Amino acid sequence: MKPFLSVNDVTVHLGGRPVVDHVDLEVRAGEFVALLGTNGSGKSTLVRACVGLVPVTSGSIELFGTALPKFRSWHRVGYVPQRSNATSGVPATVYEVVMSGRLARRRLFGARNQADIEAVSAAVEQVGLLSRLRDPVTDLSGGQQQRVLIARALAAQAELLIMDEPTAGVDHANQDVLADLLGRLVHDGTSILLVEHELGALEPLIDRAVVLRDGAVVYNGSVDDVAVHEHSHMHPHTAQPDKPGSLSGEGIWR
């Protein structure tokens, strides 16, 4: 079976400089892969390239064995972007945003059906926001907005879930909540590519870790064997003061 995601010698230039530098990466069926590295290492740019949001300068990307430019089966891929600016100013309810995750499963101009409604309700319940289903997204806290983005991806019932730092600012207790959710998804057969600075409660779930530094892969293997000095490169932000409006204490699940 071909990998669900295959990144082959990919380079991405932004502003005239290489942000991703000749990267190879695979995610296979049923695999949970963590993409680790510091801020500026190229993690987010790489996953954005994997879903077609950033153009590739050289190399190639395949989803489910199909070259990215020709890929159309987007219902098979769920993407959870970083929370920052992803939901700001959206004049829509939780229900409407999560329902948008079902669009790739419907024919052009097709009406929503009972399966769509049930998938949305189940996804919102999984992230603990069923009581806010009809509330405007702009009325939610930053953490609740992040949960809406995760529910949108879950509603698509994707086979491959790509998540860009979903635990940013999450305390240990709330990391456990996310770990439980992702553990159930993996158990049910979902493959996951997770971008993170540090793994915390998610570490026992990880099959393989890939570490980026300056846009290049410097490690690809068991999470247990990620060198201590690599971990030290992953956490320089922890010694920095919190930015105004940051999520530091409460975490995204509040």
Side-chain angles (χ1 to χ4, degrees), residues 59-76:
S60 64
I61 297 173
E62 292 184 355
L63 289 168
F64 298 95
T66 300
L68 183 60
K70 297 181 179 180
F71 186 74
R72 298 293 181 269
S73 302
W74 287 107
H75 63 279
R76 304 183 73 181

Side-chain angles (χ1 to χ4, degrees), residues 10 48 64 74 83-84 99-100 103 115 127 136 149 154 167-168 170 214 231 236 241-242:
V10 162
R48 284 170 60 83
F64 298 95
W74 287 107
R83 182 186 61 83
S84 177
M99 180 62 77
S100 71
L103 290 176
V127 300
L149 295 177
L154 296 180
T167 64
V170 176
D214 297 327
H231 277 292
D242 294 332

